[in-house]
Structures are given as structure tokens and as C-alpha cells.
Amino acid sequence: MKDKRILFVSSEVVPYLPETELSSTSFMAAKNAHSKGVQTRIFMPRFGVINERRHQLHEVIRLSGMNLVVNDVDMPLIIKVASIPKERMQVYFIDNEEYFKRKAVFTDEDDNLFSDNDERAIFFAKGVIETVKKLNWAPDIIHVHGWMASLLPLYLKEYYKEEPLFTDSKIVTSVYNNGFEGDLNNDLVNKVNFDLTDASKSKVLKTPNYSNIIKSAIENSDAIIYGSESIDEELTSFVASKEIPSLEYEAENIKETYLNFYADLLADD
């Protein structure tokens, strides 16, 4: 895997957000790949709880400035970057005043999901892809972590399917036991369909709950990694029905296991 390119896209990464199974695993997967000579890029949302001064985030003017259309509205894209101390790994942050300035991640002070989480997820997916295009950096593997990143596979396979930069990219989605209660905004499917030419590709999102958002990612991925020991049977059965490569939960030795899994996926081409 040396000199291969892996794009890690995660809704949570330590040390920028608190340590969870998802934030730690997405960091360790990138760190381990980087230590083996793999070229890595990490993308995450620039949530308002992230301390920009402490983590030394700065705006990348040459990457910022474009507008992304979400539900027929132009939303300015701001790109910030930081380096993880000691690791020499760059992390890119997708930012927008409307979506990410608030001092919270997914829920308000009463623990209710934000009503615009659906648009935040669309903006994040499109923002990552547009930034990677600007970088002209063609990834061999795109590894997706977390539900807010889980619209990325659908957008890559449908909205950006003619984009040559991603023609040979393999999409891997990690499935975690980190769901949310209830549904996102019921208009999610209509907002996604504003971008798609084939509405049938998004039909699983008609009920925008956690399982269906992850199912959308699974449907549009080339392989699955189980990031938690216990995963809802509805999702494991769905993965099995797709007959794509999957990697069982690995608590300790993700260092070699993940890299071998990536290599096998690329070798199957």
C-alpha cells in the first residue's frame, strides 16, 4: 500500500472532538496508513465546538470561495486545515457559517437533532468532493466513517459519476453502533433528488432514520468494515444481501488488518 492514496472522511476525529469509538478508530486508521507510507488526507466538519486557536486551524484561501448548491440555495464553502501534532497528517475542515458555527455537534441543548442536519450532511459530502477535485488528488481508497459522512458514497456514485478523478476509487464504509433516535428532516430525500437524475437511487432515504442513511452508504460502497462489536442485525443482514467484501470487527490489530483489507480490495480490480 506504500504510496497509495487514501481519503478518510469522518464526522468525528480525535483530537478535535471527544474520544469515541468512531473518532478514535477513524484517527487510528489514518495514522496507521500514514505510518506505512500511504498518502493520506482526512476530512471532517468544522463544528463550532472545535477550538480553532488551540488546534491551529487556518483558512486555505485558494480552496475556499466556491458556493455549493443545497436545496437550490447557494451556500459558501470555507476550507480550513490543521496538522495533527506529532503525526504530520493534514486534516481538512469543511466549514460554513450557517451550518457549522453553532457550538454543538449534532443536537441542541435539549438533545434534539438539529432540523438542518440533513442539509449539513449534503453540504459536507459535496464539500469534500469539490475540495478533493480542487486538490486534483485522486484517491485509491475512500474510507467513510459516521452517519454525517454517509451521503458521500451516494453522491460519488451518482452526482459525480462522470468525474474522472474518482473513476478508480474504491469506497469503503465503516458501520458503527452510533445511531441517533428519530429521523432527520423528512425533506432529505427531496433535497438529495434535487441533485440526482434518477430518484430511485435515493428511495431508501424516504424515511431518513439512522439505519436507512447507513443503508444508502452500504448500497453505494465497494466494501464494508464493522467498526463496532455489536451492530444492529438489520444492517448486518443488509450488508450480507449486497454480497460485497466485509471485514469483521477488530478490536486490537486494525493496523495490519485494515491495510490488508484495502490492498485486497485494490488487487481485486
Side-chain angles (χ1 to χ4, degrees), residues 169-235:
S169 301
K170 296 290 187 182
I171 303 172
V172 178
T173 291
S174 279
V175 179
Y176 294 90
N177 184 17
N178 72 324
F180 54 80
E181 295 295 322
D183 297 350
L184 298 189
N185 192 305
N186 284 325
D187 275 341
L188 169 62
V189 69
N190 296 324
K191 294 169 184 176
V192 170
N193 285 342
F194 180 83
D195 293 323
L196 305 188
T197 54
D198 184 353
S200 70
K201 301 294 184 181
S202 63
K203 62 184 179 182
V204 72
L205 298 172
K206 285 182 179 178
T207 301
N209 57 30
Y210 174 76
S211 289
N212 287 343
I213 289 168
I214 301 302
K215 283 179 182 177
S216 171
I218 294 167
E219 277 185 334
N220 293 284
S221 294
D222 300 294
I224 300 299
I225 294 177
Y226 290 107
S228 300
E229 186 170 14
S230 175
I231 301 290
D232 190 285
E233 188 180 346
E234 180 183 355
L235 290 176

Side-chain angles (χ1 to χ4, degrees), residues 21-41:
E21 186 171 56
L22 192 158
S23 65
S24 299
T25 302
S26 52
F27 165 71
M28 287 302 298
K31 176 186 174 182
N32 294 335
H34 183 73
S35 72
K36 294 293 187 180
V38 177
Q39 296 183 48
T40 61
R41 296 284 188 276

Side-chain angles (χ1 to χ4, degrees), residues 7-10 42-45 68 77 79 92-94 122-135 142 149 152 156 160 166:
L7 173 64
F8 294 92
V9 185
S10 182
I42 305 171
F43 279 76
M44 69 177 291
L68 303 180
L77 172 65
I79 303 297
Y92 292 82
F93 296 84
I94 300 297
I122 292 170
F123 185 88
F124 181 53
K126 295 175 84 169
V128 170
I129 297 167
E130 292 293 349
T131 305
V132 174
K133 283 172 59 180
K134 268 202 168 182
L135 291 168
I142 300 169
L152 187 95
L156 278 169
Y160 291 96
F166 304 107

Side-chain angles (χ1 to χ4, degrees), residues 125-169:
K126 295 175 84 169
V128 170
I129 297 167
E130 292 293 349
T131 305
V132 174
K133 283 172 59 180
K134 268 202 168 182
L135 291 168
N136 197 31
W137 194 79
D140 297 290
I141 298 282
I142 300 169
H143 193 165
V144 176
H145 303 258
W147 65 262
M148 188 164 272
S150 291
L151 293 180
L152 187 95
L154 172 62
Y155 270 83
L156 278 169
K157 294 288 188 179
E158 295 302 321
Y159 188 64
Y160 291 96
K161 61 186 175 184
E162 303 298 334
E163 175 53 57
L165 199 70
F166 304 107
T167 299
D168 298 321
S169 301

